[in-house]
Amino acid sequence: GAGVSQSPSNKVTEKGKDVELRCDPISGHTALYWYRQSLGQGLEFLIYFQGNSAPDKSGLPSDRFSAERTGGSVSTLTIQRTQQEDSAVYLCASTLAGGVAGELFFGEGSRLTVL
Amino acid sequence: AQSVTQLGSHVSVSEGALVLLRCNYSSSVPPYLFWYVQYPNQGLQLLLKYTTGATLVKGINGFEAEFKKSETSFHLTKPSAHMSDAAEYFCAVSDRENTGNQFYFGTGTSLTVIP
């Protein structure tokens, strides 16, 4: 597609359930980021993938959070045993190769509500 | 690590009035600087960026920002606010020294335009 695609756009789940959020970046973009945006908060960095390098996981808030990127393209963010504080909008962004400050292209986000 | 400070989480201006959204960063080395806008229920989109060269940068929708090294600032301005400018605005920096191309976001400023 032309832009970054995220799915689902909305997800309501019960506390304790696992959820998977998907991000399909712009074709050819080697760098992919996940951010979390909570109500009234800025963007919280979660994880960063760059090509075949080991991902930067320094922003993941707990071991319940994990992400993978298959074939250097689609990425999945998994949250296990969801908690109410996980409720937020999860944004994915992609850009061309790092090293030069290119523009981040964002998806419209996946809004997660944990009941 | 970088940090980005946006003074004023909420700014209200009258239609036609000057818009000024403040952003300061912490770095001894001037980073790459960005302003993003987020309209309701949408992802972020780039307004403008500074990487090198002219310190006054013009972006979309009549916005501009000036990089001031001595003040470590990158404030966003628009001479005359329009109702359609109502949105959330995020300042972001990317570290020139970091080949990992990490982006750091401020907490955002919500702009309200009063008719």
Side-chain angles (χ1 to χ4, degrees):
Chain A
V4 177
S5 178
Q6 291 188 245
S7 61
S9 55
N10 279 286
K11 176 71 177 179
V12 180
T13 190
E14 294 179 348
K15 178 182 174 181
K17 300 285 189 181
D18 297 353
V19 296
E20 287 189 349
L21 307 177
R22 175 189 168 104
C23 173
D24 198 345
I26 292 173
S27 178
H29 281 189
T30 59
L32 185 148
Y33 302 75
W34 283 99
Y35 290 90
R36 179 168 69 177
Q37 184 178 24
S38 302
L39 188 63
Q41 303 293 316
L43 273 67
E44 176 187 6
F45 167 74
L46 297 178
I47 189 168
Y48 162 66
F49 296 90
Q50 171 58 47
N52 295 320
S53 301
D56 177 355
K57 304 179 181 180
S58 61
L60 294 179
S62 77
D63 59 7
R64 296 186 295 105
F65 287 73
S66 63
E68 61 179 23
R69 189 178 184 191
T70 54
S73 181
V74 173
S75 177
T76 302
L77 176 68
T78 301
I79 308 173
Q80 296 179 310
R81 306 181 301 282
T82 53
Q83 303 295 312
Q84 289 183 333
E85 61 263 30
D86 300 334
S87 296
V89 176
Y90 291 82
L91 292 168
C92 176
S94 70
T95 189
L96 291 173
V100 176
E103 174 184 353
L104 282 180
F105 292 83
F106 283 84
E108 295 191 349
S110 292
R111 181 177 298 277
L112 174 65
T113 303
V114 182
L115 302 177
Chain B
Q2 293 272 3
S3 70
V4 181
T5 302
Q6 290 185 240
L7 288 177
S9 58
H10 297 276
V11 171
S12 293
V13 300
S14 298
E15 189 175 16
L18 171 71
V19 176
L20 171 60
L21 305 182
R22 300 177 184 274
C23 174
N24 289 88
Y25 62 91
S26 67
S27 174
S28 58
V29 177
Y32 299 117
L33 298 154
F34 307 82
W35 276 99
Y36 285 84
V37 61
Q38 184 181 32
Y39 297 104
N41 300 314
Q42 295 187 25
L44 280 72
Q45 64 182 83
L46 184 70
L47 266 180
L48 48 78
K49 69 177 180 181
Y50 169 78
T51 56
T52 188
T55 56
L56 181 62
V57 180
K58 295 186 184 298
I60 62 172
N61 301 336
F63 283 92
E64 60 184 36
E66 185 171 11
F67 166 58
K68 292 187 176 181
K69 181 179 178 180
S70 61
E71 299 178 6
T72 60
S73 69
F74 191 57
H75 301 331
L76 181 71
T77 60
K78 182 174 179 178
S80 177
H82 192 272
M83 295 299 294
S84 61
D85 295 327
E88 189 86 16
Y89 292 81
F90 293 92
C91 181
V93 304
S94 179
D95 191 348
R96 291 176 186 267
E97 299 295 317
N98 180 4
T99 58
N101 206 26
Q102 179 61 277
F103 287 78
Y104 303 88
F105 285 83
T107 52
T109 297
S110 177
L111 176 66
T112 300
V113 181
I114 303 167

